[in-house]
Amino acid sequence: MSNYRANEQQRLAALQAYQILDTTAEEDYDELTELAAAICGTPIALISLVDKERQWFKSHKGLDVKETTRSQSFCAHAILEPSTLMQVEDAQLDERFKNNPLVTGNPNIVFYAGMPLVDADGYALGSLCVIDSKPHQLNEAQQQALKTLSKQVVNKFMLRKKLLDLAAANEENIRLNQQSIERENHLERIIEQSPAAIVVLRGEDMIVDAINPAMLSLIDQQPDIQGKKLLTAMPELKNQPAYELLQEVFKTGKALHRYETPVSLDRNGKIATAYFDFSYTPLIENGEVTGIIDMAVEVTEQVAAKKVIEENANHLYQMVMSAPMGMCIIRGYDLVIEVANEPMLKIWTRTANQVLGKCLTDVFPEVIDQPFPEMLLNVLRTGEALSIPELTADIAELDGTINRIYIDFTYKPLRNAQGEPEAIIATVIDITEAVKSRRLLEESKEELQSANAELGSVNEEYMALNEELIATNEQLMKAEESLIDLNERISIAIDAGGLGYTEVDLATGKMRCNDTFKSFYGRKPHEELPTPKCLN
């Protein structure tokens, strides 16, 4: 069913292409239906075209109506077998047609014979048919004649289509010629009025055929250049690439475009080098190159600005590469690492080949969950620099080991010629060791403060003990003074009573005695008594 629908759509499209539906009666077609009726001996002969919802008669011999619905059409059945003549001897006995209104009512069809009208592409457009109100049968000669006449009908269709196509082509040619004339006039107006510099050169000698004021101003020439050879008017162009390319386009017929091309021109009597973007488009007439349209834009200032930018970029590159701290340039919203110096590579623990030209998040996927990518993008979006001291960063080694470092960093936008941020220069200082040392010092300070607190407590205890010792010493001194006083009193008492006494130091064995005691042993006061032997 789907193939039938597809074929039916194509058949209907083929029918429409002949542009014959609903056209007026034509004698050529009427002659064919009269001939068919006469040969087959029938009162009715039709050239029937089967449209989507109807069958329409281009010629209707013996029948007043011009169309019927497709559902009542005998021809709609005939076109289902495009190569076969369909013959119904008695429609009243045929299950397909016995209840058809055209059988049961006017024109009371009983006999029908139809030969499909098949075009060169094999599409059955309709049929040439003969009809009678009584049973009938065509002999072989009549059948062959009907087939031949059907081919004649198709030939007329095809001839009509060719004539229509030829007329359409002729109208198209007229239209194209008119357009060509209009285009030439329009082209001349465009060249004259265009703000772009345009010159039309003709022939191999490059004769100036048309040139607008913008081009005259660009090459510092007067209008009388028109009609002259280009090299006659501008001899300085000889052997320059811009002129040689004109010759190449004229020979090959291939357009070309060049950018920032240097051209030496005579301006104000001096030869100066200017830069141009230009396009050479061949003029092709009757299949041959007859000239060239040259459109040019001077870009000398842009080239000079570009050189300045390139020089600045080179200076920036040298500054980054020679900086003692980590520096890199990250470009665009993809965060592509464009430049990185050795200190930066050391912080990243990567080589230049491992990072340059690659996205930051591809090289360091671990930073996706860290704040750095968003901070970089925000600098690009806002054009505002960002600087944060002592921030932690987790950098993965090649083996996946995560190193936590501490950094001071600054992100500054780099702007293009339009002043829009397009890249970021990042300055990164690894302060990991300084942070660790400071934290170690802070920990030592806390320990020292704790020790000082403990020492203060000990000092307080020592001072209390020292006070106690001083009090005890004072008591001992008082006791010693009392003892001395007591000894003096005892000595006075012993001397007054004529008593002798002695003291023996048990540690040294020495004796001390008074003069009375010495006299007991016949000694004089200045003589010493020997130590008793029992003490030796």
Side-chain angles (χ1 to χ4, degrees):
M1 182 63 72
S2 60
N3 288 337
Y4 169 76
R5 287 176 180 169
N7 292 335
E8 176 64 5
Q9 291 299 320
Q10 295 170 356
R11 189 193 70 79
L12 290 172
L15 175 60
Q16 294 295 331
Y18 287 93
Q19 302 181 45
I20 197 168
L21 292 171
D22 299 312
T23 57
T24 59
E26 297 181 49
E27 185 177 353
D28 289 349
Y29 294 102
D30 290 341
E31 289 176 351
L32 291 174
T33 53
E34 287 181 4
L35 185 57
I39 291 173
C40 296
T42 61
I44 298 173
L46 306 170
I47 295 175
S48 174
L49 298 175
V50 182
D51 200 359
K52 185 177 182 180
E53 302 292 343
R54 62 173 177 158
Q55 65 172 350
W56 178 81
F57 307 130
K58 175 60 180 173
S59 179
H60 43 99
K61 164 67 177 174
L63 191 65
D64 291 334
V65 297
K66 293 184 178 181
E67 64 180 54
T68 70
T69 62
R70 182 169 176 171
S71 61
Q72 299 174 358
S73 172
F74 279 66
C75 294
H77 291 269
I79 65 173
L80 297 178
E81 296 292 338
S83 61
T84 304
L85 173 70
M86 184 177 113
Q87 191 170 188
V88 180
E89 297 179 10
D90 189 345
Q92 301 171 99
L93 304 177
D94 194 307
E95 291 294 331
R96 295 173 294 175
F97 305 112
K98 65 180 183 180
N99 296 320
N100 190 309
L102 299 178
V103 174
T104 60
N106 189 46
N108 304 114
I109 297 174
V110 175
F111 169 75
Y112 170 90
M115 185 63 201
L117 302 172
V118 181
D119 70 2
D121 295 321
Y123 295 113
L125 308 177
S127 70
L128 172 62
C129 62
V130 292
I131 297 172
D132 202 344
S133 57
K134 59 185 178 180
H136 201 94
Q137 185 176 15
L138 299 181
N139 59 36
E140 187 173 342
Q142 290 172 324
Q143 293 180 29
Q144 186 60 44
L146 196 60
K147 291 178 181 179
T148 301
L149 290 173
S150 70
K151 292 179 181 179
Q152 291 299 315
V153 173
V154 172
N155 287 339
K156 288 186 178 295
F157 286 173
M158 295 178 67
L159 178 60
R160 171 191 173 83
K161 187 173 185 297
K162 287 180 180 178
L163 290 173
L164 289 173
D165 291 343
L166 184 60
N170 187 50
E171 289 181 1
E172 180 66 12
N173 285 333
I174 294 173
R175 186 183 66 81
L176 291 176
N177 287 334
Q178 184 62 32
Q179 283 185 346
S180 179
I181 295 172
E182 291 176 355
R183 278 200 301 270
E184 288 183 4
N185 295 334
H186 187 56
L187 179 60
E188 290 179 1
R189 290 195 297 272
I190 289 175
I191 292 173
E192 181 67 23
Q193 300 174 11
S194 174
I198 302 175
V199 60
V200 179
L201 304 170
R202 293 280 186 177
E204 191 173 357
D205 290 334
M206 301 296 156
I207 296 174
V208 179
D209 185 59
I211 187 167
N212 68 355
M215 180 62 81
L216 289 172
S217 175
L218 197 68
I219 60 178
D220 194 22
Q221 293 290 329
Q222 298 301 315
D224 61 2
I225 190 177
Q226 192 164 344
K228 296 180 181 180
K229 294 180 181 180
L230 186 60
L231 285 184
T232 299
M234 303 176 66
E236 68 271 17
L237 292 177
K238 187 175 182 179
N239 297 326
Q240 290 195 53
Y243 186 81
E244 292 175 350
L245 289 172
L246 283 170
Q247 299 292 327
E248 179 183 333
V249 172
F250 188 83
K251 291 177 182 178
T252 64
K254 295 180 180 179
L256 61 77
H257 307 273
R258 291 292 184 270
Y259 303 94
E260 299 180 4
T261 301
V263 181
S264 296
L265 296 176
D266 186 348
R267 288 177 166 176
N268 298 320
K270 295 182 180 179
I271 299 296
T273 299
Y275 293 84
F276 297 89
D277 291 348
F278 62 79
S279 65
Y280 293 162
T281 304
L283 277 173
I284 300 176
E285 297 173 332
N286 298 322
E288 294 184 0
V289 178
T290 60
I292 296 172
I293 299 176
D294 173 10
M295 297 182 64
V297 177
E298 184 170 359
V299 292
T300 304
E301 292 183 0
Q302 292 90 319
V303 170
K306 184 177 179 181
K307 288 182 178 179
V308 171
I309 292 173
E310 289 175 351
E311 290 175 0
N312 291 339
N314 184 58
H315 291 159
L316 179 62
Y317 175 81
Q318 296 298 331
M319 181 196 75
V320 170
M321 297 306 293
S322 61
M325 73 288 291
M327 294 188 74
C328 65
I329 296 175
I330 298 174
R331 186 167 298 278
Y333 285 90
D334 290 333
L335 303 181
V336 175
I337 302 170
E338 189 174 86
V339 179
N341 65 3
E342 284 300 322
M344 191 74 249
L345 294 173
K346 185 177 179 181
I347 292 172
W348 283 342
T349 66
R350 297 291 193 279
T351 65
N353 289 336
Q354 291 171 332
V355 301
L356 296 184
K358 299 177 181 178
C359 296
L360 179 71
T361 52
D362 290 340
V363 179
F364 304 105
E366 65 273 11
V367 304
I368 293 176
D369 296 327
Q370 298 183 53
F372 303 104
E374 183 56 32
M375 289 191 292
L376 287 164
L377 293 174
N378 193 56
V379 171
L380 286 175
R381 285 191 291 261
T382 65
E384 296 179 359
L386 176 66
S387 181
I388 299 180
E390 197 174 315
L391 192 66
T392 59
D394 292 336
I395 303 296
E397 300 278 1
L398 290 177
D399 61 2
T401 303
I402 298 294
N403 286 334
R404 172 158 289 186
I405 63 174
Y406 296 86
I407 57 174
D408 290 344
F409 75 85
T410 300
Y411 294 158
K412 291 184 177 180
L414 296 176
R415 302 177 185 274
N416 57 22
Q418 290 73 41
E420 299 169 347
E422 64 176 6
I424 295 169
I425 181 168
T427 303
V428 180
I429 301 175
D430 187 350
I431 58 170
T432 304
E433 294 303 321
V435 171
K436 289 181 178 180
S437 298
R438 190 197 70 214
R439 292 189 175 183
L440 183 61
L441 181 62
E442 289 173 352
E443 292 175 359
S444 299
K445 184 177 180 180
E446 290 177 359
E447 292 177 358
L448 180 60
Q449 289 175 344
S450 177
N452 285 338
E454 293 179 2
L455 183 60
S457 177
V458 171
N459 282 339
E460 289 177 358
E461 293 178 359
Y462 174 75
M463 290 175 66
L465 180 60
N466 191 47
E467 289 176 356
E468 291 178 2
L469 289 175
I470 291 173
T472 302
N473 189 48
E474 289 177 351
Q475 292 176 357
L476 288 174
M477 289 177 67
K478 289 181 180 179
E480 184 178 0
E481 290 175 356
S482 298
L483 184 60
I484 291 171
D485 182 62
L486 180 60
N487 284 337
E488 288 179 353
R489 289 179 181 181
I490 291 173
S491 294
I492 293 172
I494 289 173
D495 289 339
L499 298 177
Y501 80 91
T502 183
E503 294 178 359
V504 179
D505 189 342
L506 297 178
T508 62
K510 290 184 178 182
M511 295 177 59
R512 291 192 299 274
C513 56
N514 62 4
D515 293 341
T516 301
F517 188 83
K518 290 179 180 180
S519 66
F520 291 161
Y521 292 95
R523 300 287 185 182
K524 294 181 179 179
H526 64 275
E527 292 179 338
E528 296 291 333
L529 288 176
T531 302
K533 293 182 179 180
C534 62
L535 297 177
N536 292 333

